Amino acid sequence: MLITLSINATTEQINNLYNNLAEKKLNPQVYQIDGQTVISVEKKDNSLELVALEAMGFVEKVIPITKPYKLVSKEYKNHNTVIKVGDVEIGSGKIQIIAGPCAVESKEQIMETAFAVKEAGATILRGGAFKPRTSPYSFQGLGEEGLIYLAEAGRQTGLPVITEIMDIKDIELVCKYADILQIGSRNMQNYSLLRELAAMDKPVMLKRGLAATLEEWLLAAEYLMAGGNSKIILCERGIRTFETHTRNTLDLSAVPAIKELSHLPIFVDPSHGTGKWKLVKPMAKAAVAAGADGLMLEVHPQPSQAYSDGEQSLTPNNFKILMEEIKRLAAVL
Ligand code: PEP
Ligand code: MN
């Protein structure tokens, strides 16, 4: 159960209520969510007594929550979360497109890609500088050099930039250059990283874990929100199944399911979701039809030369064609 307090609630009123709930052994926890104090309590049989709390002037609402995740649930907040990044509004109904290479490889490569995707209609630029590679012998990313090139490409095109953060020790560095922080699939359940990023004043994109259920994914998002960061974007990127034809199995039913369960925006990444560029276009369109708030797409000027994920990267020209198709599809929808 969540108790939301009026923004005018005084510290004394909050403390008194907290002590009262603690005395009743309801295990109260206090959160600050977008300037509002919210107290969670473990639901006990005396919930009727809790409902009486609503009569207190400084209590705004008492919300019964049936799910294990609370703050990210639709029960807590019934309207969609909208996240503003510069001029880009995520979750407000307009489909936003994150595009760019898997990894920043050179200044020329990210600049060329950035201008191409911007011209075709992308609204956010991606590019990895710290890459979570399956093999330690594969290209690991350019580190800070990559972040500098990415930020410069963002500045020159006017696109906000997103990049992955893998390690707590890199938070300060990545925050210097990135507008949105990406938590990769492999780190979805890295709870110490989630806790640290919860304290940052930056939107976070949380990709679905390789084998995470929707509940585990939403509980990971709950770490961010309970820690004070409500600017969370979910991203479905495929899960591991017995099928080996595709790199992962893109679970598009996650989109409407998440929409039912949570107020957070959800993107779809058909590049990592399929691993095959030819499948990216149809699955991108299917994601839009399923109600996704946006897409994350890998684009490389010369996919065959890419240091990583070339086989799932679109050429700028294929990206342009897809964008035109998506525009038409979005208009119909
Ligand atoms: C990525 O988007 O760069 C990436 C590594 O994706 P994922 O974490 O979904 O594998
Ligand atoms: Mn990639």
Side-chain angles (χ1 to χ4, degrees):
M1 190 167 275
L2 292 175
I3 305 165
T4 61
L5 305 188
S6 141
I7 46 164
N8 301 320
T10 64
T11 312
E12 196 189 347
Q13 286 171 324
I14 297 170
N15 288 344
N16 285 344
L17 177 58
Y18 177 89
N19 292 336
N20 192 322
L21 297 166
E23 261 168 38
K24 293 194 167 96
K25 306 259 180 299
L26 291 169
N27 188 24
Q29 311 279 334
V30 183
Y31 312 99
Q32 294 301 322
I33 311 291
D34 300 329
Q36 181 174 43
T37 303
V38 179
I39 303 181
S40 75
V41 290
E42 276 172 19
K43 203 175 159 211
K44 294 262 168 69
D45 287 342
N46 54 357
S47 51
L48 275 180
E49 201 179 312
L50 285 174
V51 174
L53 284 169
E54 234 162 7
M56 292 175 147
F58 64 96
V59 170
E60 193 186 77
K61 248 193 279 171
V62 177
I63 312 166
I65 306 277
T66 57
K67 301 286 192 303
Y69 40 86
K70 301 177 168 80
L71 300 165
V72 303
S73 75
K74 259 278 165 65
E75 293 168 319
Y76 166 61
K77 188 175 155 193
N78 200 14
H79 55 277
N80 292 338
T81 287
V82 176
I83 298 164
K84 274 202 86 160
V85 190
D87 295 335
V88 178
E89 267 189 1
I90 294 169
S92 68
K94 182 176 182 287
I95 290 157
Q96 301 297 352
I97 308 287
I98 301 173
C102 179
V104 179
E105 298 169 2
S106 66
K107 190 168 177 184
E108 296 67 37
Q109 173 246 21
I110 188 67
M111 287 297 171
E112 184 181 344
T113 316
F115 279 101
V117 298
K118 158 94 188 198
E119 191 177 327
T123 46
I124 299 167
L125 178 67
R126 66 154 284 151
F130 295 97
K131 294 302 301 173
R133 305 306 302 282
T134 302
S135 164
Y137 306 115
S138 303
F139 175 61
Q140 303 287 311
L142 294 180
E144 184 169 12
E145 189 187 349
L147 294 173
I148 293 169
Y149 299 155
L150 178 70
E152 178 62 15
R155 205 185 54 74
Q156 285 200 27
T157 52
L159 296 173
V161 300
I162 178 170
T163 196
E164 178 163 352
I165 177 150
M166 296 205 300
D167 199 313
I168 290 173
K169 74 172 168 35
D170 299 322
I171 291 179
E172 206 181 314
L173 178 70
V174 176
C175 282
K176 221 166 97 185
Y177 299 101
D179 300 299
I180 307 174
L181 307 171
Q182 178 174 327
I183 301 178
S185 194
R186 292 153 189 83
N187 270 320
M188 188 206 84
Q189 286 180 310
N190 182 339
Y191 299 118
S192 33
L193 181 63
L194 293 174
R195 278 207 184 88
E196 294 292 327
L197 294 184
M200 298 294 123
D201 188 24
K202 294 248 182 197
V204 174
M205 171 173 271
L206 180 65
K207 295 189 93 177
R208 183 176 180 181
L210 305 171
T213 63
L214 297 191
E215 188 169 298
E216 287 163 341
W217 189 14
L218 289 171
L219 282 167
E222 188 81 11
Y223 269 85
L224 292 166
M225 198 148 165
N229 192 340
S230 56
K231 291 181 244 165
I232 308 162
I233 307 150
L234 300 169
C235 182
E236 161 63 37
R237 48 76 72 203
I239 47 173
R240 183 62 61 85
T241 67
F242 58 82
E243 180 56 72
T244 54
H245 180 73
T246 45
R247 179 176 179 179
N248 292 293
T249 298
L250 189 63
D251 178 12
L252 285 183
S253 70
V255 175
I258 288 286
K259 288 274 169 210
E260 222 172 272
L261 300 171
S262 175
H263 52 82
L264 297 175
I266 176 165
F267 275 48
V268 171
D269 169 357
S271 305
H272 294 89
T274 65
K276 293 184 169 177
W277 73 266
K278 279 192 179 165
L279 301 184
V280 169
K281 266 204 259 177
M283 295 316 280
K285 289 185 277 185
V288 171
D293 295 288
L295 298 168
M296 172 174 263
L297 299 158
E298 286 187 338
V299 179
H300 194 285
Q302 285 172 290
S304 63
Q305 305 299 310
Y307 293 177
S308 57
D309 289 351
E311 54 303 334
Q312 66 192 37
S313 299
L314 297 176
T315 59
N317 192 45
N318 274 331
F319 175 72
K320 190 167 165 237
I321 295 168
L322 173 60
M323 289 297 289
E324 281 158 12
E325 291 177 2
I326 283 175
K327 254 177 242 157
R328 289 207 297 276
L329 177 62
V332 172
L333 289 167

